[in-house]
Amino acid sequence: MVSVLTSSALSKALFFLSLCSVWLLPDLALAKHAGITRHYKFNIKMQNVTRLCQTKSIVTVNGQFPGPRIIAREGDRLLIKVVNHLQYNVTIHWHGIRQLRSGWADGPAYVTQCPIQTGQSYVYNFTITGQRGTLFWHAHISWLRATLYGPIVILPKRHASYPFPQPFKEVPIVFGEWWKADTETIINQAMATGGAPNISDAFTINGLPGPSYNCSAKETFKLKVKPGKTYLLRLVNAALNDELFFRVANHTLTVVEADAVYVKPFKTDIVVITPGQTTNVLLKAKSKTPNAKFAMSARPYATGPATFDNTTTIGILEYKKSASASSSNNMNIPLLKAKLPQFNDSTYAMKFNQKIRSLATRKFPVKVPKKVDRRFFFTVGLGILPCSKNQTCQAPNNIRPAAGINNVSLVQPNTALLQAHFFNRSKGVYTTNFPTNPPFKFNYTGTPPKNIMLDSGTKLVSLNYNTNVELVMQDTSILGAESHPLHLHGFNFFVLAQGIGNFDPKKDPAKFNLIDPAERNTVGVPSGGWVAIRFLADNPGVWFMHCHLEVHTSWGLKMAWVVNDGKGPKQKLMPPPADLPKC
């Protein structure tokens, strides 16, 4: 409602305001920076899409692939109505959004919500607090995120500037993975037979495979730039199962942000980005129009023993020609290729990740916990489980590949963990006896133990509000050492250190960076190595933590943290919304 004042009333009001300016100023400042409410509607439906000379029906939002871009400012509230027109159940996760006290809107199926059933809808309601940069949204049930994803662009508050040169233009670059076959069929068959799912047929940039694939030259992402201008590329790895190297031929990139947190700028030719990670880079165009086009290439960084999609997706960076330049010349301009590291170059990946440091300025401070209340040591990796009665397993001895944390492969419940927690109905749904340490010690990165059978169950860790947590995640060489990108919902964490081999609790803490560590929501546990993180459990709810390689999540490489309510009114989880889906 807007009220209109007469001129005399207005002058009285102004006089009153001048008298009260001392106590009103803080409120006025708050109002000036208060966010607005933004509404989106996501109709989840099937759409025919042609790639690699083949048309198939894929899951989309509003018929778009990739899905629509969400744009908001820090402090804005988002109301996103998701309507499910599919034969499948569906959920959407707003990857990297803190979801402070709004865990009902986080999205992982059977963790924070029951899925949205066919013909039903759900309004995701959350506020973006203290974050700015690039994140993304994606489906969080089965393998639907293969095509159901899109970028989230969080701009600074009005009149706030970037801590780097203002770019001429901002461009989302979203990496994806494409299968010719139906991905739900692929994972369902793999889970039924106990085998590994088929690998993808191509990678994509903004949904397009590019000229390195058969019959895809016309399906190429093109970025046209003006000489001398600076462009902000918002990189998102939405691929299902592959970490990626990315490079723009003959151009240097400046990394300025990772996982929606500003970082100390550094120059690089090649970016390493795991599924679930986002990285903002500045690209400065050459001062004069060159007589060439430049490949923007992405290919896998793969460390495990399994086969992988060893192909390269290419977009094209083109310089805008002056109006006088003839179009015939444009046809003969050479395409300069981008040289990328070997697919298993872990040394490069480690060095790149170690360059990422928080700004640690007065305006953007680092709030890394200095004291630790609870310490955890998690092994992450593969193992085996016996096949269930309804499986026709291919492997001998009736076993199948599985994955776990501290030897526990998570069994997905058939009701949402957050509801069970909120209504004190955890009995029969989950227990809070997740192991703090591995059940037995062995040479984690050396010769595997004889018994590689995993335990299985729905076990969680319970934390009191405001607990300072230190967690070391250790890769294992069971069935082969492998890099695992671990994503924690509901929090950012600080990456204190990483190393190769087994973590040494006596020597390695001396290497911890408590000054300007990277602040992230997804981190790669190095192949045959470890990573140490800390976070403050200041967000009540149930928070999923899992490998962002979807095949490993399907196999059970996942767990959850229960963060209990604090004592204050703003330290408690809000009640569930009326339209929360039912199981």
Side-chain angles (χ1 to χ4, degrees):
M1 189 177 80
V2 179
S3 58
V4 180
L5 296 174
T6 63
S7 58
S8 62
L10 184 61
S11 60
K12 285 177 185 173
L14 287 172
F15 175 69
F16 177 73
L17 268 178
S18 66
L19 288 174
C20 303
S21 61
V22 175
W23 59 267
L24 267 178
L25 270 174
D27 283 354
L28 285 172
L30 267 176
K32 180 183 167 188
H33 292 294
I36 62 169
T37 300
R38 297 175 188 260
H39 296 264
Y40 286 85
K41 187 172 183 184
F42 278 20
N43 283 305
I44 314 285
K45 58 183 187 179
M46 303 303 288
Q47 181 75 31
N48 281 345
V49 171
T50 303
R51 296 288 183 272
L52 309 178
C53 272
Q54 193 174 312
T55 302
K56 73 168 185 171
S57 192
I58 66 166
V59 182
T60 67
V61 167
N62 305 340
Q64 299 174 38
F65 173 69
R69 187 184 315 178
I70 284 181
I71 300 178
R73 287 192 183 276
E74 180 189 345
D76 285 354
R77 180 184 179 208
L78 286 168
L79 292 173
I80 304 167
K81 184 175 184 178
V82 176
V83 187
N84 183 9
H85 301 281
L86 306 175
Q87 78 224 43
Y88 311 113
N89 289 344
V90 77
T91 70
I92 303 289
H93 170 50
W94 318 95
H95 183 109
I97 298 283
R98 285 281 328 262
Q99 296 292 4
L100 286 161
R101 300 173 61 225
S102 58
W104 307 106
D106 191 42
Y110 303 104
V111 178
T112 58
Q113 68 168 97
C114 299
I116 307 165
Q117 296 176 21
T118 305
Q120 302 292 306
S121 67
Y122 178 44
V123 177
Y124 289 92
N125 176 357
F126 56 91
T127 299
I128 297 169
T129 307
Q131 293 181 280
R132 75 293 300 167
T134 305
L135 295 169
F136 72 118
W137 59 264
H138 61 77
H140 213 306
I141 183 167
S142 190
W143 276 28
L144 292 188
R145 76 174 179 89
T147 58
L148 210 54
Y149 60 81
I152 300 175
V153 173
I154 307 169
L155 300 169
K157 291 180 180 176
R158 287 202 178 278
H159 313 299
S161 59
Y162 294 130
F164 48 81
Q166 178 70 28
F168 172 69
K169 194 176 179 185
E170 303 182 10
V171 184
I173 304 280
V174 184
F175 305 110
E177 214 165 346
W178 182 267
W179 278 259
K180 289 179 181 177
D182 176 68
T183 46
E184 288 304 281
T185 304
I186 285 170
I187 186 56
N188 290 341
Q189 283 178 346
M191 295 307 282
T193 61
N198 291 344
I199 60 171
S200 54
D201 297 291
F203 295 100
T204 56
I205 296 176
N206 292 344
L208 302 167
S212 63
Y213 299 100
N214 284 342
C215 144
S216 295
K218 289 181 180 175
E219 295 163 0
T220 302
F221 172 72
K222 291 181 180 174
L223 175 60
K224 292 199 170 176
V225 298
K226 289 184 175 179
K229 299 290 186 185
T230 297
Y231 294 78
L232 181 69
L233 307 185
R234 295 178 174 270
L235 309 179
V236 176
N237 188 349
L240 237 70
N241 291 318
D242 285 279
E243 305 185 49
L244 295 169
F245 292 118
F246 171 70
R247 184 173 196 172
V248 182
N250 291 44
H251 288 73
T252 300
L253 304 171
T254 303
V255 177
V256 292
E257 179 246 302
D259 289 1
V261 180
Y262 297 134
V263 301
K264 288 185 171 74
F266 68 92
K267 287 185 162 49
T268 185
D269 293 332
I270 300 156
V271 170
V272 182
I273 186 165
T274 79
Q277 287 184 339
T278 58
T279 309
N280 280 3
V281 297
L282 294 175
L283 179 146
K284 192 169 191 321
K286 298 178 186 297
S287 56
K288 291 181 181 175
T289 301
N291 189 37
K293 297 175 187 175
F294 302 92
M296 306 168 67
S297 302
R299 63 169 286 184
Y301 161 52
T303 54
T307 54
F308 63 97
D309 180 353
N310 193 11
T311 63
T312 304
T313 179
I314 294 174
I316 294 175
L317 180 77
E318 294 181 355
Y319 280 75
K320 288 185 179 173
K321 298 283 186 193
S322 61
S324 59
S326 70
S327 58
S328 59
N329 289 349
N330 203 31
M331 303 293 288
N332 303 320
I333 292 177
L335 175 65
L336 299 185
K337 293 189 175 176
K339 191 175 188 309
L340 288 163
Q342 287 293 310
F343 71 86
N344 58 354
D345 193 342
S346 294
T347 304
Y348 184 88
M350 174 85 76
K351 283 180 181 171
F352 176 85
N353 286 318
Q354 286 171 339
K355 287 178 188 172
I356 297 175
R357 300 289 179 94
S358 292
L359 271 184
T361 60
R362 186 177 294 176
K363 192 174 181 184
F364 301 106
V366 171
K367 295 176 181 174
V368 58
K370 293 290 172 34
K371 73 178 183 73
V372 175
D373 301 313
R374 292 191 66 183
R375 284 187 166 84
F376 297 87
F377 183 78
F378 287 0
T379 53
V380 295
L382 306 181
I384 55 171
L385 275 173
C387 289
S388 60
K389 289 172 185 173
N390 59 354
Q391 284 179 301
T392 50
C393 272
Q394 297 170 335
N397 305 322
N398 207 37
I399 57 165
R400 65 177 180 86
I405 300 174
N406 274 358
N407 224 51
V408 178
S409 189
L410 185 91
V411 176
Q412 182 177 280
N414 51 20
T415 186
L417 297 170
L418 185 59
Q419 281 169 282
H421 162 67
F422 186 82
F423 294 109
N424 292 316
R425 294 181 192 150
S426 62
K427 194 173 181 183
V429 180
Y430 68 84
T431 58
T432 54
N433 60 340
F434 189 89
T436 306
N437 291 285
F440 56 94
K441 288 185 177 180
F442 61 98
N443 181 359
Y444 306 115
T445 54
T447 306
K450 287 192 172 106
N451 181 9
I452 58 169
M453 194 70 75
L454 296 170
D455 187 12
S456 60
T458 313
K459 302 178 182 183
L460 280 57
V461 173
S462 178
L463 296 170
N464 290 331
Y465 185 83
N466 264 357
T467 299
N468 286 309
V469 175
E470 181 177 289
L471 168 62
V472 175
M473 292 182 282
Q474 172 74 58
D475 182 36
T476 71
S477 55
I478 297 172
L479 301 187
E482 188 167 1
S483 173
H484 296 279
L486 263 289
H487 171 49
L488 175 61
H489 290 229
F491 300 93
N492 282 353
F493 51 76
F494 295 96
V495 184
L496 307 184
Q498 52 184 336
I500 296 299
N502 297 334
F503 175 74
D504 185 332
K506 291 185 177 144
K507 293 180 182 173
D508 287 330
K511 304 173 192 169
F512 286 2
N513 173 13
L514 304 176
I515 308 300
D516 59 353
E519 187 179 341
R520 309 216 61 157
N521 64 59
T522 305
V523 68
V525 179
S527 176
W530 56 270
V531 63
I533 67 170
R534 280 186 195 171
F535 65 94
L536 173 65
D538 61 350
N539 195 3
V542 176
W543 303 106
F544 204 24
M545 192 175 84
H546 61 99
C547 183
H548 225 273
L549 303 178
E550 207 62 36
V551 60
H552 292 166
T553 299
S554 302
W555 284 350
L557 211 167
K558 49 195 175 185
M559 57 82 67
W561 307 81
V562 179
V563 179
N564 297 303
D565 282 352
K567 290 176 181 172
K570 291 191 175 177
Q571 299 175 350
K572 296 185 191 317
L573 176 67
M574 306 286 271
D579 65 337
L580 186 73
K582 294 178 172 60
C583 284

